[in-house]
Amino acid sequence: MRTWAIANRVIKELLRDKRTLALMFLAPIFILILLNFVFSASQATDVTVGTVAVPQALQQNLEQSKHVTVKKYTSKAAAQKGLKQNRLDAIVQHKTANYSLTYANTDASKTTAVKMAFKNALATNTMSQLKSKLMATTASLAKLRQQLPNAPIPQQSAAKVAAPKITNHYVYGDSDTGFFDKILPILMGFFVFFFVFLISGMALLKERTSGTLNRLLATPVKRSEIVFGYMLSYGILAIFQTILIVLVTIWLLKIKVVGSLINVVVINLLLALVALAFGILVSTFANSEFQMMQFIPVLVIPQIFFSGIIPLDTMADWVKKIAAVIPLKYSGDATTQIITRGVSITSLGLDIGVLFLFLIGLTILNIVGLRRYRKV
Amino acid sequence: MAAAIINLTHLVKKFGTQTILKDINFTVVPGQIVGLIGPSGAGKSTIIKLTLGMEKADNGTATVFGQTMPQRQLLAKIGYMAQTDALYETLSGQENLVFFAKMKGLSKSEIVHEITYVAKVVGLTADLNKRVSGYSGGMKRRLSLAIALLGQPQLIVLDEPTVGIDPALRRQVWRELNKLRDAGRSILITTHVMDEAELADQVALLLDGEVIAFDTPAKLKQQYQVATIEDVFLKAEGVQL
Ligand SMILES: Nc1ncnc2c1ncn2[C@@H]1O[C@H](COP(=O)(O)OP(=O)(O)O)[C@@H](O)[C@H]1O
Ligand SMILES: [Mg+2]
């Protein structure tokens, strides 16, 4: 099989090219580690929270949280003044069993920190409430038993503490502002796309400029066999790269994956194949490595703006139309849904379908495009 | 005369507004070495690309083995050596040979003995396991030639095969080409080194997009009444000798 022989050769060449290998496997990890530092550094941020009419127990729990300073206010108005003057990062107000939280939200990491601290404090609070309630119930149950030894045990909901409702308010922006967790799945796809695009494009470019493509085309090899050989080799490599990037992202940056991890890999792999076909296509318009690099700010970087990192529904119609032809948008949408909402891959037919269309379209263009170098 | 292996008739090739080849006609028959001679930029490589079907002629036809090019399947019967050493530098000589042998469609058992044979012809047997990046210029040319010889093709097309190799090796290459010719193969070879033309059976002189003469070296010299092919060229160009 010529396709296999070509794939075999491309892989062999790649494995001997240590720099390129490093670019493909170490560079994304390096960037992710950097992100991890940036992210975890901001997690340890100190926050000041103003409380209004918060029950004693919860107040204490909150005070015991790390990196949290609590200031007690008697009225909401006084607390709001503190928020405006930047002395507070958030206000927690207790209103008839419910909580209302107001965040300055000028720094998304502080908002996250407050949310975490409050959630933990509330959980601890609920736990101790549960415990005391449970103890009381057991005691009354024992008493009941003594009085009526044969009576059926009354169906009493032993632990029923109504979960308080929490409402969030933001002075600046909304809950999506700068949410790192939200952009990570998209960023992950971007790395996959970027590196596969660059390296595969360079590889075919080198094959063309060194003359080996011409020589290859002087054999009875089919043009499609060359394209499929490249797809196969880089596809295999992309499997490893994708798994690595996905695992490192999830492990280092501790994203919670609600859905299936395998599905995340599958989507990113599909994206990698699109990137591969795209890289090969674009490389035919470049005459040197430098010209190939010139396509990055034009064709690759802008994709990130349309990928869903910035909410698309607020954009103008023509911008949305551009987004419709951006592969990263579909993979970003699919991975976000899998990671944050646990959507199964079978209900992501549109995203996957569009990615497949990109793949098939670009592959056909590549096979036809090789006609430039041999007329049959 | 046997049926022509290569038959070029009225080939015209333009790149943009520039007409590189105006009217090219010549034939290569079995058991013949045809030297295509012309200065750099004359269009020798372009003629070869038209013959192989890499480029399409704007007019005229190129037939190889009686079939009009471009024709993918026919490439299996043609050994081609490009002007540049188009080799995979990170692979060893052996790996390059195996790869191109597979591309030519040779079977596994053929590959082994073909490689042994072509490596011996170009004297690279001892260096086959070295990476090409560690080869000298001459070694690369020899490996390139070895690739062209894989599969014992009926037609061998060599684009400036002796550029940058030492005289001893050049002799050796020509000796090998003569042997192949004697075995009935056809060889089309381009060169801009005039004295190499003397070694060909037939010489096609390419000048200004046309083959101005196509004959044996001896007849050409006689016709122009000069001592060397180089002088034939100069005379044809109108230089006073
Ligand atoms: N793909 C191409 N596009 C434009 N011009 C070309 C192309 N290939 C060759 N040429 C031009 O055609 C002429 C002949 O080139 P070539 O056949 O390589 O010459 P030779 O092999 O005799 O040195 C040169 O002037 C070259 O610039
Ligand atoms: Mg040339």
Side-chain angles (χ1 to χ4, degrees), chain A residues 2 9 16 207 215 220, chain B residues 72 80 88 90 95 103 144:
Chain A
R2 290 200 180 96
R9 187 213 85 215
R16 291 180 189 172
E207 179 118 44
R215 178 152 219 173
Chain B
R72 184 176 59 82
Y80 167 59
Y88 298 104
T90 50
E95 285 165 336
M103 290 303 114
S144 224

Side-chain angles (χ1 to χ4, degrees), chain B residues 45 83 159-160:
Chain B
S45 298
Q83 188 172 352
D159 200 353
E160 313 230 7

Side-chain angles (χ1 to χ4, degrees), chain A residues 154-299:
Chain A
Q155 286 294 319
Q156 191 183 5
S157 51
K160 204 169 183 190
V161 180
K165 221 176 102 207
I166 302 168
T167 41
N168 293 315
H169 306 280
Y170 303 88
V171 174
Y172 168 81
D174 59 20
S175 61
D176 281 342
T177 309
F179 238 148
F180 200 63
D181 296 24
K182 198 190 147 214
I183 67 167
L184 256 185
I186 297 166
L187 224 47
M188 187 164 74
F190 179 73
F191 289 144
V192 170
F193 190 92
F194 181 86
F195 288 106
V196 172
F197 169 84
L198 187 61
I199 290 162
S200 64
M202 290 284 192
L204 201 79
L205 180 72
K206 196 174 135 226
E207 179 118 44
R208 192 157 54 85
T209 51
S210 73
T212 48
L213 182 65
N214 257 329
R215 178 152 219 173
L216 192 52
L217 286 168
T219 71
V221 71
K222 285 187 189 146
R223 282 174 285 127
S224 58
E225 286 170 329
I226 298 178
V227 173
F228 290 144
Y230 265 81
M231 301 280 253
L232 187 62
S233 53
Y234 276 90
I236 291 170
L237 232 84
I239 291 178
F240 289 109
Q241 195 210 25
T242 306
I243 291 176
L244 188 78
I245 290 183
V246 170
L247 288 185
V248 168
T249 310
I250 284 158
W251 170 72
L252 252 188
L253 303 168
K254 300 183 185 63
I255 323 184
K256 209 173 126 228
V257 180
V258 185
S260 149
L261 196 58
I262 292 168
N263 288 352
V264 176
V265 173
V266 168
I267 299 283
N268 276 303
L269 188 62
L270 191 55
L271 179 69
L273 289 176
V274 173
L276 165 70
F278 190 51
I280 291 177
L281 186 69
V282 167
S283 78
T284 60
F285 298 102
N287 287 320
S288 65
E289 263 102 347
F290 182 61
Q291 285 188 359
M292 186 72 195
M293 297 293 289
Q294 290 169 342
F295 283 116
I296 292 173
V298 181
L299 294 175

Side-chain angles (χ1 to χ4, degrees), chain B residues 1 77-78 93-94 96 103-104 106 111 159 215 230 236:
Chain B
M1 211 164 88
K77 295 200 265 178
I78 305 174
Q94 169 84 19
N96 269 282
M103 290 303 114
K104 282 191 176 176
L106 301 190
I111 288 175
D159 200 353
D215 219 326
E230 189 162 331

Side-chain angles (χ1 to χ4, degrees), chain B residues 15 18 20 38-47 49 55 83 159-160 206:
Chain B
F15 286 116
Q18 214 184 356
I20 302 298
S40 267
K44 302 182 295 293
S45 298
T46 306
I47 289 179
K49 284 189 175 146
E55 293 284 359
Q83 188 172 352
D159 200 353
E160 313 230 7
L206 183 64

Side-chain angles (χ1 to χ4, degrees), chain B residues 234-235 237-241:
Chain B
L234 292 172
K235 207 159 183 183
E237 275 185 303
V239 178
Q240 291 297 318
L241 294 177

